């Protein structure tokens, strides 16, 4: 618990091993996602926007970097959207995986409750807009194909995550994920079958800034097709999010200068701001949503 507290307070990221997700399931997830990419995505990526923009840039020989695109192939799975159906076992395996990951997210949130001194279940309740199963749980299946000019763009531009708790199953071998720590970009080294956890903007708000959401990015790479599967445990759009009163009070006791640093807002309003400002600094987002 102390290590998780340290990860949340100092890094905004930590890697979980011994997380209880069966290795056998993780092996199947890797297999069906790689097969899915080969069978259903690889061909399409050849005509994608990043390829076109990169080709144009290289022809121009301008030396600029592409700042408006990511070298990423992505689909998002939620309970009620259409899932890829050509790859044998994909749907079944990913449904099983998502169930396990959602449970893991809830366990991690309980540890955060305890570390923050909040009542057990506080964060889960906030992200479910009360009792009941209202959280938004999404799974992004990404591939970062080999890039002929990795110096000219990012795999995924620097951002913080908008939502609650993010659980990332990254590639065993191909690295690329970096987080910003004290002004320096640091690699999140692949640890086979670990789950990388990070806290999004809504945990920052709930914790009244004790757990910051941290900037991260994915570097494009000239070789290796990096797979990463990010699952997001977020509030539903209608949920109201605000700093936990206990933590605001505590901050006020500890330091009379501290005022409530974050507004109370409807998560859907926050997402409207985020949609426009994902790749910009996060602080103005909290101001913008305060004014809504
Ligand atoms: C994201 C993200 C990292 C990765 O989807 O928000 O940061 O490794 N992904 O794909
Ligand atoms: Ni992210």
């Amino acid at each position: 618990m102390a290590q998780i507290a340290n990860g949340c307070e100092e890094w905004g990221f930590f890697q979980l091993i011994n997380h209880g997700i069966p290795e056998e399931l993780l092996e199947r997830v890797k297999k069906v996602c790689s097969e899915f990419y080969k069978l259903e995505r690889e061909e399409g990526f050849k005509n994608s926007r990043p390829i076109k923009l990169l080709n144009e840039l290289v022809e121009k020989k301008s030396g600029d970097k592409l700042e408006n695109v990511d070298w990423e192939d992505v689909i998002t799975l939620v309970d009620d959207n259409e899932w890829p159906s050509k790859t044998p076992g994909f749907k079944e395996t990913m449904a099983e995986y998502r169930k396990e990951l959602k449970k893991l997210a809830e366990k991690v949130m309980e540890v955060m409750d305890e570390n923050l001194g909040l009542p057990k279940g506080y964060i889960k309740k906030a992200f479910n807009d009360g009792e009941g199963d209202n959280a938004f749980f999404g799974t992004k299946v990404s591939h970062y194909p080999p890039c002929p000019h990795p110096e000219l763009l990012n795999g995924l531009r620097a951002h913080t995550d908008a939502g609650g708790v993010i659980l990332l199953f990254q590639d065993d071998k191909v690295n690329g994920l970096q987080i910003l720590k004290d002004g320096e970009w640091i690699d999140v080294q692949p640890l086979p079958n670990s789950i990388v956890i990070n806290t999004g903007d809504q945990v920052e708000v709930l914790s009244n800034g004790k757990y910051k959401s941290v900037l991260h990015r994915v570097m494009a790479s000239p070789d290796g097709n990096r797979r990463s599967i990010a699952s997001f445990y977020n509030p539903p759009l209608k949920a109201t999010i605000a700093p936990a009163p206990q933590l605001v009070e505590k901050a006020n006791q500890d330091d009379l200068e501290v005022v409530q640093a974050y507004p109370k807002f409807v998560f859907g309003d926050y997402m409207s701001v985020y949609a426009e400002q994902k790749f910009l600094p996060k602080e103005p987002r909290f101001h913008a949503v305060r004014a809504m």
Side-chain angles (χ1 to χ4, degrees), residues 156 159-161 216:
L156 179 58
H159 64 282
T160 67
D161 293 335
H216 52 283

Side-chain angles (χ1 to χ4, degrees), residues 127-140:
F127 290 166
N128 280 274
D129 199 33
E131 306 294 345
D133 188 15
N134 299 310
F136 174 89
F137 189 68
T139 298
K140 201 183 131 186

Side-chain angles (χ1 to χ4, degrees), residues 149-168:
H149 292 282
E151 71 288 359
L152 294 181
L153 44 56
N154 284 309
L156 179 58
R157 290 163 284 169
H159 64 282
T160 67
D161 293 335
V165 173
I166 301 88
L167 306 93
L168 184 76

Side-chain angles (χ1 to χ4, degrees), residues 99-124:
K99 231 169 146 183
E100 289 288 328
L101 267 271
K102 192 172 172 190
K103 280 192 280 179
L104 181 62
E106 290 173 347
K107 257 192 227 169
V108 168
M109 290 189 301
E110 277 190 8
V111 174
M112 290 179 187
D113 289 334
E114 198 168 338
N115 278 335
L116 286 167
L118 294 170
K120 187 171 173 178
Y122 187 97
I123 300 175
K124 179 177 173 186

Side-chain angles (χ1 to χ4, degrees), residues 72 140 142 144 156 159 161 166 168 170 177 216-218 226 228-230 232 274 278:
E72 182 191 29
K140 201 183 131 186
S142 305
Y144 300 93
L156 179 58
H159 64 282
D161 293 335
I166 301 88
L168 184 76
Q170 62 166 344
L177 178 61
H216 52 283
R217 68 181 183 189
V218 178
R226 178 171 179 273
S228 89
I229 304 161
F232 304 81
Y274 187 84
K278 173 169 177 179

Side-chain angles (χ1 to χ4, degrees), residues 65 71 144-147 150-158 174-179 185-187 216-224 226:
K65 254 191 102 161
W71 190 265
Y144 300 93
C147 178
E151 71 288 359
L152 294 181
L153 44 56
N154 284 309
L156 179 58
R157 290 163 284 169
V174 186
N175 63 9
L177 178 61
Q178 299 185 323
I179 66 175
W185 289 104
I186 299 187
D187 290 324
H216 52 283
R217 68 181 183 189
V218 178
M219 304 299 278
S221 124
D223 38 45
R226 178 171 179 273

Side-chain angles (χ1 to χ4, degrees), residues 39-91:
L39 197 64
E40 305 192 45
R41 306 297 297 185
E42 189 168 40
E43 197 55 36
F45 190 76
K46 293 179 185 156
N47 300 311
S48 66
R49 188 164 165 264
I51 296 254
K52 282 187 195 125
L53 291 175
L54 184 60
N55 284 341
E56 281 169 24
L57 185 73
V58 170
E59 274 166 32
K60 269 200 304 190
K61 298 198 177 68
S62 67
D64 292 340
K65 254 191 102 161
L66 286 175
E67 304 289 358
N68 56 351
V69 73
D70 304 303
W71 190 265
E72 182 191 29
D73 176 78
V74 47
I75 63 150
T76 303
L77 310 174
V78 292
D79 279 345
D80 52 8
N81 68 346
E82 201 177 314
W83 290 23
S85 56
K86 290 201 197 102
T87 307
F90 181 88
K91 279 188 189 171

